[in-house]
Amino acid sequence: MAPTTKTDSIVVIAGYGPGISASVARKFASLGYSKIALLSRTQTKLDAAAAELVATHKITAKGFAVDLADPPAVQSVLAAVRDDLAGTIGVLFWNPFGQGQGIFDLTAETLNNNIALSVTSLVLAVQKIADDLAANNGAILVTGGSLSLENDGSAQLAVDWNVATLAISKAAQRKAVHVLHFALKGKGIFVGEVTVHEIVKGTDFDAAGTATLTPESVADKFSELESKRNAVFVSVP
């Protein structure tokens, strides 16, 4: 069952960028959510994106600059979101992306930063807004990737592409999503992840410009997952 207070509850887009997260923001605006908060590092980019949402969808939108690898800062910014947008949070979309490094040249700093982005800040964010989500029959939606899967192919890709930090942190994120799902379902909060198996068109990984998976189709999958709430993990394509 979808949240019952769409027009009042806030959608938080954590890890905002011009690809999947921008499409998810537009998707939820089109579904009737009237308050959207955009979180990432750069305030000027957030301001421009929020202004576009306001102009196109006639909603309230605001950007909040924050380092999503800093869990206390994430908790603080969520409090600011509630105050500034005068409401409670009904959807948390978690989409931050870390830096890829190979298994033999990764640094502790980069690996820890990736774990913070994918797991620690996510869990601390949920702690902060669990009451809001419960009151709204809310949802936590997380972007995953095929590198997180436990198979020889994904492990070999992590080696070939020198992105062990991403594979390790996303695998930990997948387990966190699974644990959160079972911890929160009794409170009426849905937790789910969309595992993206292909390069998304227009993103940094699409350097050759040959990707066919659109961010809009990924956003549609998130909308479907939130609406049906019948699986923890779904895949696209």
Side-chain angles (χ1 to χ4, degrees):
M1 179 166 50
T4 56
T5 55
K6 283 185 178 179
T7 57
D8 296 323
S9 65
I10 303 165
V11 176
V12 175
I13 307 292
Y16 182 83
I20 292 173
S21 54
S23 291
V24 168
R26 290 191 293 267
K27 184 69 178 181
F28 276 94
S30 73
L31 291 173
Y33 288 89
S34 61
K35 298 178 181 180
I36 297 182
L38 309 177
L39 311 184
S40 71
R41 284 180 174 269
T42 308
Q43 189 67 54
T44 53
K45 293 181 180 180
L46 292 172
D47 290 344
E52 182 180 353
L53 284 170
V54 171
T56 303
H57 296 280
K58 312 306 179 187
I59 64 169
T60 299
K62 184 173 180 178
F64 297 81
V66 63
D67 180 2
L68 291 168
D70 181 345
V74 171
Q75 289 193 321
S76 294
V77 81
L78 290 171
V81 166
R82 296 176 81 254
D83 290 343
D84 286 6
L85 297 185
T88 57
I89 296 169
V91 177
L92 173 64
F93 174 66
W94 196 259
N95 187 60
F97 200 77
Q99 180 182 355
Q101 287 183 337
I103 193 69
F104 294 118
D105 57 10
L106 65 82
T107 64
E109 179 182 8
T110 299
L111 182 58
N112 290 338
N113 188 76
N114 276 264
I115 294 294
L117 285 170
S118 296
V119 180
T120 315
S121 289
L122 169 61
V123 173
L124 271 290
V126 172
Q127 289 180 356
K128 184 69 175 180
I129 63 173
D131 289 344
D132 280 16
L133 293 170
N136 288 302
N137 191 29
I140 301 161
L141 306 172
V142 181
T143 304
S146 56
L147 286 171
S148 69
L149 303 181
E150 295 180 1
N151 59 57
D152 292 347
S154 65
Q156 188 63 57
L157 281 178
V159 173
D160 293 344
W161 292 356
N162 290 317
V163 290
T165 47
L166 295 179
I168 293 167
S169 59
K170 285 297 185 180
Q173 175 187 278
R174 187 176 178 89
K175 177 56 71 175
V177 167
H178 214 178
V179 171
L180 286 169
H181 177 86
F182 283 96
L184 296 174
K185 66 177 183 177
K187 298 179 181 293
I189 302 169
F190 174 75
V191 185
E193 178 177 300
V194 172
T195 305
V196 181
H197 286 281
E198 291 186 5
I199 292 172
V200 178
K201 187 177 180 66
T203 60
D204 290 342
F205 281 101
D206 185 27
T210 56
T212 58
L213 178 63
T214 66
E216 290 78 13
S217 64
V218 180
D220 287 342
K221 182 63 72 171
F222 273 110
S223 175
E224 178 185 346
L225 176 63
E226 192 277 335
S227 177
K228 292 183 177 180
R229 301 188 176 205
N230 60 354
V232 184
F233 300 104
V234 297
S235 296
V236 64

